[in-house]
Amino acid sequence: ELVLSGIKDYAQFAKLKAGITQALSDATWVEERKMRRGQVVLGIRSSRTVEAVKRQLASVPAEAGKVAVTSIEGERLNAEVREK
């Protein structure tokens, strides 16, 4: 699960989700679970470890902002969108 905060609008979210899906190309699926103002929770199914997913998120294209993982809690990655 990926909790992503700092999202400004839906257009930015759509670009980020496309970038995350591309970076996690081996993932079975990436789906929206919850959306709140400025935050989204994505469910991710991948055969990779949480640490490997964290490394892959670093390669998300920065077009809509940089995804920075701030903490890991079990199977949950907490991340924020930072300016390019």
Side-chain angles (χ1 to χ4, degrees), residues 19-28 30 44 46 48 52-53 56-57:
I20 290 168
T21 302
Q22 180 182 351
L24 302 175
S25 59
D26 65 325
T28 306
V30 176
I44 299 172
S46 176
R48 296 189 183 265
V53 170
Q56 286 179 297
L57 288 173

Side-chain angles (χ1 to χ4, degrees), residues 2 4 16 20 57-58 60-62 65-69 79-82:
L2 173 64
L4 188 58
L16 285 166
I20 290 168
L57 288 173
V60 172
K66 185 75 176 154
V67 175
V69 175
E80 62 184 26
V81 179
R82 297 186 177 156

Side-chain angles (χ1 to χ4, degrees), residues 2-74:
L2 173 64
V3 179
L4 188 58
S5 60
I7 298 170
K8 294 178 184 173
D9 56 30
Y10 188 81
Q12 182 188 34
F13 164 69
K15 289 178 185 176
L16 285 166
K17 184 179 177 193
I20 290 168
T21 302
Q22 180 182 351
L24 302 175
S25 59
D26 65 325
T28 306
W29 49 259
V30 176
E31 71 176 9
E32 300 149 39
R33 290 194 175 163
K34 292 181 187 175
M35 292 184 81
R36 294 185 196 124
R37 178 172 266 179
Q39 184 181 64
V40 66
V41 178
L42 296 174
I44 299 172
R45 171 152 293 173
S46 176
S47 60
R48 296 189 183 265
T49 65
V50 173
E51 284 294 328
V53 170
K54 177 184 173 184
R55 285 191 301 275
Q56 286 179 297
L57 288 173
S59 69
V60 172
E63 180 179 305
K66 185 75 176 154
V67 175
V69 175
T70 56
S71 66
I72 300 173
E73 300 170 5

